[in-house]
Amino acid sequence: MAVNWSKQFSSYPLVTKTPECAATVVRVGDIAIGNGDFVVMAGPCSVESERQLLRTAEAVALGGARILRGGAFKPRSSPYAFQGLGVDGLKLLAKARQLTGLAIVTEVLSETDVEIVAEYADIMQVGSRNMENVSLLERVGRCGRPVLLKRGMVATLEDLLSAAECIAVNGNLDIILCERGIRTFETATRNTFDIAAVPVLKAVSRLPVIVDPSHACGVRNLVPILARAGAVVGADGMIVEVHPDPDKALSDGDQSLTFAQFDEMMRDLGRYIHHASAGSWCCGAQSGGHA
Ligand code: PEP
Ligand code: MN
């Protein structure tokens, strides 16, 4: 069967590739995402304390991360679980940025928080549970910061591009897409990592694409090999969870790497990042389709 992705996704003119615009590079300070480098965003699932955040920031910066992740407003599966430190968490992220030079990515849960999160964040994360929250998408479209848009748990790639278009049409073209695993019938992993999403999105969309191997599998021992897979298929980077003491984490400890595991993963990735030829594959796929 012939596949014509460009046609399938043609209703999203601001985020799909066109002859005039083949690719967007998202710039955050001196960091370029979508320009050939594999940019690593790392840190705890949640900001828990000053000591936890600063220790992690220092460790991931030394290991080669350029951007610190950490949720201050947390979308939890249970209303009784830790909900995040809120604005105090944002202040700790700003302190970590000042001490390490890392840029900050953090989630914005609600349209009423967009302004305050944008005051502290370098990149606004829209999480899976909010990918189809149109009022939030419209609001981050006007926030003046790049947006990290995570794929919804039951969203097709077309749904993801439609959400990205909603941000773009409100004036913000600085969007990074993130494959973080989808819900399937499989229960051995927390989600099912849709690795093909990366080259498909790279072929049809002009936006940078990163992977989240932590949420994709839910168990820390699988994270490095999935990160490697992401690098090999041409992702522009990844977002990954790291914690000083994962067994004591207030959220997502099972999937958080120790500092030693993070370092080892980063050393391993070095062998794959510069040799991946997926970029050239994408150009071929875009022009022709296949049988
Ligand atoms: C997170 O990054 O911690 C998170 C909640 O991710 P997702 O929205 O992909 O579940
Ligand atoms: Mn998490």
Side-chain angles (χ1 to χ4, degrees):
M1 189 182 77
V3 174
N4 190 340
W5 291 321
S6 305
K7 193 162 174 206
Q8 183 182 350
F9 297 113
S10 61
S11 338
Y12 313 110
L14 299 177
V15 297
T16 45
K17 279 188 176 147
T18 59
E20 301 76 48
C21 183
T24 317
V25 177
V26 173
R27 292 182 193 279
V28 179
D30 64 349
I31 306 165
I33 305 158
N35 205 16
D37 287 340
F38 190 83
V39 177
V40 176
M41 312 177 182
C45 178
S46 304
V47 178
E48 298 171 4
S49 69
E50 176 161 339
R51 184 173 149 77
Q52 171 245 18
L53 187 69
L54 296 184
R55 281 186 64 203
T56 311
E58 205 172 280
V60 300
L62 277 173
R66 305 290 312 276
I67 299 172
L68 176 66
R69 67 147 288 147
F73 295 92
K74 292 303 301 177
R76 300 306 304 283
S77 304
S78 160
Y80 305 111
F82 177 59
Q83 304 293 313
L85 296 181
V87 177
D88 290 340
L90 296 177
K91 290 183 177 156
L92 292 177
L93 287 163
K95 184 165 188 182
R97 170 174 51 206
Q98 197 186 2
L99 292 173
T100 60
L102 293 168
I104 300 298
V105 58
T106 193
E107 178 159 356
V108 57
L109 270 187
S110 127
E111 58 192 293
T112 52
D113 296 332
V114 168
E115 208 169 313
I116 184 83
V117 175
E119 242 177 71
Y120 292 91
D122 298 292
I123 303 175
M124 311 283 281
Q125 176 175 329
V126 173
S128 292
R129 292 160 190 78
N130 263 321
M131 191 208 79
E132 289 179 287
N133 179 342
V134 172
S135 10
L136 180 62
L137 297 174
E138 288 173 351
R139 191 61 192 79
V140 294
R142 298 190 300 269
C143 76
R145 299 264 182 226
V147 176
L148 172 62
L149 179 63
K150 299 188 84 173
R151 181 179 183 179
M153 291 180 207
V154 294
T156 63
L157 297 182
E158 189 170 349
D159 297 333
L160 176 61
L161 288 182
S162 170
E165 186 83 11
C166 186
I167 298 170
V169 82
N170 280 282
N172 192 348
L173 299 173
D174 285 332
I175 305 163
I176 304 157
L177 302 174
C178 179
E179 164 56 39
R180 48 77 74 201
I182 52 175
R183 280 259 161 94
T184 67
F185 51 79
E186 182 55 71
T187 54
T189 48
R190 182 178 181 184
N191 291 292
T192 296
F193 192 26
D194 181 7
I195 194 72
V198 177
V200 172
L201 288 170
K202 291 292 291 176
V204 298
S205 139
R206 66 175 75 166
L207 305 175
V209 180
I210 68 165
V211 293
D212 175 346
S214 312
H215 292 86
C217 68
V219 274
R220 80 179 68 103
N221 288 345
L222 283 179
V223 169
I225 193 80
L226 297 191
R228 191 197 280 183
V232 169
V233 295
D236 296 296
M238 73 167 156
I239 183 164
V240 62
E241 291 183 338
V242 181
H243 194 282
D245 188 355
D247 291 334
K248 298 216 173 80
L250 296 182
S251 62
D252 286 350
D254 290 347
Q255 68 195 31
S256 298
L257 299 178
T258 63
F259 296 165
Q261 282 178 312
F262 178 73
D263 281 341
E264 197 183 327
M265 175 184 70
M266 293 296 279
R267 277 196 299 274
D268 171 70
L269 282 178
R271 291 191 284 151
Y272 297 93
I273 289 161
H274 301 294
H275 305 299
S277 58
S280 51
W281 176 85
C282 287
C283 300
Q286 168 67 3
S287 55
H290 60 252

